[in-house]
Amino acid sequence: MRKSKFGIRIWTIGTLLAVLLTGCSGTGSGADNAAADSGAQSAGGSAAGEIVVAVSRDTALDRLDAGAYDGSMDVHAMIYDGLVRYGEKGKIEPSLAESWDISEDGQTYTFHLRQGVQFSDGSDFDAESVIFSFERWIHDPSNSLTLASAMQSIEAVDDHTVRMTFDRAYYPLLTELTFARPVRIISPNAVEPAGDVKGKFVKPIGTGAWVADSYKMDQEAVLVRNPNYWGEAPKLSKITLKVIPDPQSRVLALQSGGVDLAGGQSGRLPLESLPVIETDESLETMKSPGTSSHFLVFNYDNLHLQDLNVRKAVNLAIDKQSIVRDLMGGVGSEARGLFPPTVPYVTDTNSRGYGFDPQEAKSLLAESGYTDSDGDGILDKDGAPLKLNLVLQQVDFPEWKPMMELVQSELSTIGIDTQLQVLEPNAYYDDLWTNRTYDMIVYRTYDDAYNPHSFLSSLFHRTQDAPAVAWSDEKLESLIDTALGSTDESKRQEAYDHIFTRMDEQAMTAPLYYPDDLFVFNKRVRNVEAGYTTFEPILWNRLEVGE
Amino acid sequence: MKNQVKTGKQVSAWIGAVLVLGVLAAGVFAPLLAPSDPLDVHMAHRLAGPSAEYPLGTDHLGRCVLSRLLYGTRLSLFDALAVLAAVFAVSVPVGLLAGYAGGRTDRIIMTVIDVLLAFPGLILALAVAAMLGPGALHLLLAFAAVWWAGYARLIRGMVLQLKENDYVLAARASGSSHLRIAFDHILRGAARPILVLASMETGTILLSLAGLSFLGLGAQPPVPEWGVMLSDSRPYIQTEPNLMLFPGLAIAVSVLGFNLLAEGLREPGGPSRSWRNSFGGAAPKRSRAAKPAASARIEAQRGHGE
């Protein structure tokens, strides 16, 4: 009895571990088989123009309410249109609104709507449907968009003109209107009872190029071309979004031909597999410059880090080129300023950043009076060793661990002792936003439409009851206020020039890496072009398939 | 020993002992054996194959894999031994107390143990480790807090049997103190099975620790640890499979070593002697030799045997 009990115990633990250790590849093979099956179908029907795209998580297609935050943002943007859309480097382009006027004081926006547009169910798009869509969420106090909190009224001037008034001037209002949610327009027939702003969402009905066709939770979502679409009709007739949670399995599915396209943020591919992908003759890769950056936040309460020379030295000690080249497989670019050049208002002159110069870093530290008085390889000053802890998490960002190990070793060469602390995501975010027990913490900027205004306000500007999160600087905060309230484009650029230059000169952060989005697709897919936002990673409507 | 025919089990025990000693020595002498500093990052040499400078190649940060493996022994194996020590430090006195004292004390202790055993051990350890936050020491505590229950119960079972022995009764009759009886007579009788258990469990604990470290709960970077090395090399499984091979082998060899050793310790005289029989070797006589073996086992297994 006892003997077998032990056997069972060991066997159980062994099995558990085996499952833990191989879990990913285990699910992979299943997903891969499933993918291979549908791949056969899609290959057969390629004349009709169908592709299969791998995504990492369920799209929640049946709950894809334009006014809610549930489900896949990418699919939101495929099914629903906004009044305006986000073009290259944040340029605001017409979408359902053909044109718009902004009053002198920047508080009244009048949108002239596109005429003759129909929803996918055949009903007409007009001012009433715009007001319906906004009123469903605009009064929700939990909504953090300035659009929601600052809006005073929304009214129809006529059937194809909508006027919104706000209690303040805030230039990114138009940018907020390009978001994937909740600002996009939904048909009043999508709720029950139809047209009731408090009605219950039943079906995704939008004006977008794609319509929800079928959906199997945690398996796949099928989108077909919208016959009533107002713009240029998509070349493909059908896009199947297949859920494959494990990155390695997405690579395998691409290799087997079961999936035609994968990558971006909705189906990230492991950069370590790039060599394997590049040798595969059936696959092609595309790197599209991202709009986010990874960087170190300095804790302004730390005495060492209050010294500008220490902050500069940390910047100078980190080899940003090596991060991109060696750790990230060349997918990305060398970090300079906090924001990459794809972000609005960033120019070469206002975001120079710091290069890689450990010697200069050492002399800056010496200049500040740091010496290695006890010969242990760690600099000290007034008896306090230059020891800093560096907090990271590796669940959402597995690449941070090797990156921080590299940073740690680079900092040790200039005499800074860094302790890495890997926290689980909840503890990590608590530390970042509230506890602030870190000396340095690695974080990333938001994507596209949130940059730079939203990110700057949330990390570098005080709130009503708390000082700024990432770095507290009175002058910077007043510059941010100026930029946000300015209605004049050139004054805004000027304010941002000051903001970025000041952040750079004061070394308020240590930028590390500008990631690119990596896409891999089967060569039979043509016209693969990157979009301008994370939620529109590919210009879906232009995709074609050939043989 | 010399007169006994060397059975297959004995050979495997020797193999186990050699493996365990080898791994222990690798850990103790890591500073002498390691060709380079396990923390030295050389981005220029990353993912290099085996060479004179790096006998097992380098990892994704250009660190020497062999050096990391050797130093990893210290953490992986020595942590497992530390957990083992902690587990037995708790479970031996508790099991002894429950078994020897019996009655209410026994019931209370067994209730606690039953509650702990109601959860799968590894999952519970995972929860405790997550609560305490990552770190080698926290992981150690988490394991000790969860793992002791099973052993306390087993030890209690042994004690229940041993305390019926004539020599224990004799000691009691001669007026020995409870403490003396418990530690001198009963514990000594249970020493061998406890040793076997310990050897067997080292492998299990080592494997579980590596598993939790693999999940990021154990050793903090850049400290080398086998489970961490496995998890670090996972992304490279397609391009650099040998990165994963070496730490995997190290774990496998150590676990195998401890298990073989345990097998050998358990059965020194020959095949198919159960543990209970092996008590006979250590303790002078058994009180009720006629007692059916099955009922004794049931008593040992029962949660609240009175």
Side-chain angles (χ1 to χ4, degrees), chain B residues 12 31 51 74 84 153 157 168 192 200 209 222 227 252 254-255 288-289:
Chain B
S12 66
S51 62
R74 296 189 147 190
L84 194 74
R153 187 188 182 129
V168 176
R192 178 178 218 115
M200 193 97 113
L209 277 175
S254 322
V255 173
R288 276 175 284 172

Side-chain angles (χ1 to χ4, degrees), chain B residues 100 176-184:
Chain B
Y100 188 74
S176 297
S177 73
H178 287 310
L179 219 56
R180 191 181 156 83
I181 296 171
F183 280 91
D184 213 25

Side-chain angles (χ1 to χ4, degrees), chain A residues 173-319:
Chain A
L173 285 172
L174 279 176
T175 310
E176 288 191 351
L177 284 172
T178 68
F179 287 4
R181 58 200 185 190
V183 299
R184 300 207 168 201
I185 311 304
I186 189 170
S187 162
N189 297 332
V191 301
E192 218 151 51
D196 180 356
V197 293
K198 296 244 168 6
K200 186 175 169 291
F201 170 83
V202 282
K203 201 172 168 221
I205 305 174
T207 59
W210 300 92
V211 187
D213 183 55
S214 67
Y215 168 69
K216 276 189 228 114
M217 191 170 167
D218 289 329
Q219 290 181 39
E220 60 171 35
V222 179
L223 296 164
V224 293
R225 184 158 58 192
N226 176 3
N228 301 330
Y229 184 51
W230 54 271
E232 193 190 332
K235 305 271 196 305
L236 296 176
S237 59
K238 184 163 140 188
I239 294 179
T240 304
L241 303 172
K242 184 165 281 295
V243 181
I244 304 180
D246 178 55
Q248 210 69 50
S249 309
R250 290 196 283 276
V251 175
L252 292 172
L254 279 164
Q255 286 179 309
S256 75
V259 158
D260 299 304
L261 188 152
Q265 312 223 347
S266 57
R268 279 173 51 148
L269 297 169
L271 299 180
E272 294 84 358
S273 299
L274 206 52
V276 181
I277 293 166
E278 277 166 349
T279 54
D280 194 313
E281 298 217 326
S282 66
L283 300 177
E284 220 167 302
T285 59
M286 179 183 73
K287 294 166 193 166
S288 80
T291 50
S292 70
S293 86
H294 296 200
F295 66 101
L296 295 183
V297 174
F298 295 132
N299 191 332
Y300 50 85
D301 292 328
N302 182 284
L303 290 176
H304 295 300
L305 290 170
Q306 285 172 4
D307 184 338
L308 174 59
N309 279 347
V310 175
R311 302 200 299 272
K312 279 185 177 170
V314 171
N315 271 287
L316 287 164
I318 300 169
D319 186 351

Side-chain angles (χ1 to χ4, degrees), chain A residues 515-530:
Chain A
D516 280 352
D517 280 334
L518 172 71
F519 294 92
V520 176
F521 53 94
N522 195 298
K523 284 196 172 136
R524 75 183 193 95
V525 185
R526 309 247 169 93
N527 285 350
V528 181
E529 288 172 62

